[in-house]
Amino acid sequence: MSMDKIKGSEKIKIFRCDESCASGAAALCAACFNRNESAAYMAYFLTNKQTAAVCAKDGDTIVGYAAARVVADEAEIMDVAVSHKFRRRGIGRELMSSLEALCREMGVAKLYLEVRSQNSAARALYSSLGYEVYGTRHGYYIDPADDAVLMKKNINILNTAFADNSNGC
Ligand SMILES: CC(C)(COP(=O)(O)OP(=O)(O)OC[C@H]1O[C@@H](n2cnc3c(N)ncnc32)[C@H](O)[C@@H]1OP(=O)(O)O)[C@@H](O)C(=O)NCCC(=O)NCCS
């Protein structure tokens, strides 16, 4: 996948994840989230047929990762993470766009995610990509306590692109 929109990062490329990405993705998630998955679990997740996952690599190093679980025509975005020193260069946006394209290829029409209400960076990213808030789960997160904001995006082209064709064909 091409990476023209990532600022000052001509070496950075986006790839669809496979098993070889497991340890890098697990390390990035451990650094960005309050949890610690093993590389073995990540390898299991990445090789599952219901997983859609992409990563950004600087050379051989994974500096960004985004993944979703696909069920029928819906996908739930599980993780989006960019290595701290690579943030604000457009990698998160490109990962989300690539993940959306991959989900579309897998037959997904609706994307869902949840995000901490205090996570202004992620909320701004998702809003800018067309995700809309459809609910809140109060007190959903702990350590630190926070509400979950529920967001969704309809990527069903047939429902959106042709919705205004009121005259028919
Ligand atoms: C959220 C995250 C993935 C964004 O990655 P990123 O590569 O820095 O994002 P981008 O550079 O592509 O930014 C895209 C847009 O997101 C928004 N954004 C990103 N970081 C932001 C920040 N710190 N403050 C406000 N808006 C921010 C902006 O709208 C930005 O567009 P702009 O640069 O044109 O203003 C990154 O901050 C991260 O990994 N955070 C920790 C993990 C996390 O919270 N993941 C989300 C869990 S739901």
Side-chain angles (χ1 to χ4, degrees):
M1 299 178 197
S2 113
M3 273 305 73
D4 304 345
K5 293 174 192 153
I6 295 179
K7 299 161 200 150
S9 312
E10 52 288 334
K11 282 193 308 178
I12 295 181
K13 292 194 167 48
I14 304 269
F15 297 89
R16 183 172 183 175
C17 286
D18 61 20
E19 199 172 353
S20 70
C21 303
S23 57
L28 182 59
C29 286
C32 293
F33 304 115
N34 190 12
R35 57 173 220 253
N36 219 339
E37 284 148 4
S38 68
Y41 174 78
M42 187 62 88
Y44 163 78
F45 176 71
L46 292 177
T47 53
N48 189 303
K49 284 195 170 63
Q50 289 180 303
T51 296
V54 294
C55 64
K57 286 188 182 176
D58 179 30
D60 289 334
T61 304
I62 290 182
V63 297
Y65 167 73
R69 185 158 49 205
V70 175
V71 179
D73 70 343
E74 298 185 352
E76 182 182 3
I77 296 177
M78 312 294 292
D79 290 317
V80 184
V82 174
S83 177
H84 205 275
K85 70 175 188 175
F86 286 84
R87 288 181 191 166
R88 297 311 304 258
R89 290 157 70 162
I91 296 175
R93 188 185 299 285
E94 286 302 309
L95 283 169
M96 287 295 290
S97 299
S98 299
L99 184 64
E100 180 179 321
L102 178 55
C103 285
R104 202 188 291 269
E105 276 178 30
M106 294 169 76
V108 169
K110 286 165 277 185
L111 295 164
Y112 294 90
L113 60 83
E114 59 201 24
V115 56
R116 283 178 174 271
S117 72
Q118 299 295 318
N119 192 342
S120 51
R123 289 184 66 177
L125 170 64
Y126 302 144
S127 295
S128 76
L129 290 168
Y131 286 80
E132 293 176 346
V133 175
Y134 70 95
T136 305
R137 286 196 183 121
H138 296 285
Y140 181 76
Y141 293 109
I142 55 169
D143 199 19
D146 199 356
D147 296 339
V149 177
L150 311 179
M151 304 185 84
K152 67 177 177 181
K153 180 176 180 180
N154 190 340
I155 58 169
N156 185 338
I157 294 175
L158 289 177
N159 278 351
T160 54
F162 300 107
D164 292 330
N165 187 12
S166 50
N167 293 331
C169 298

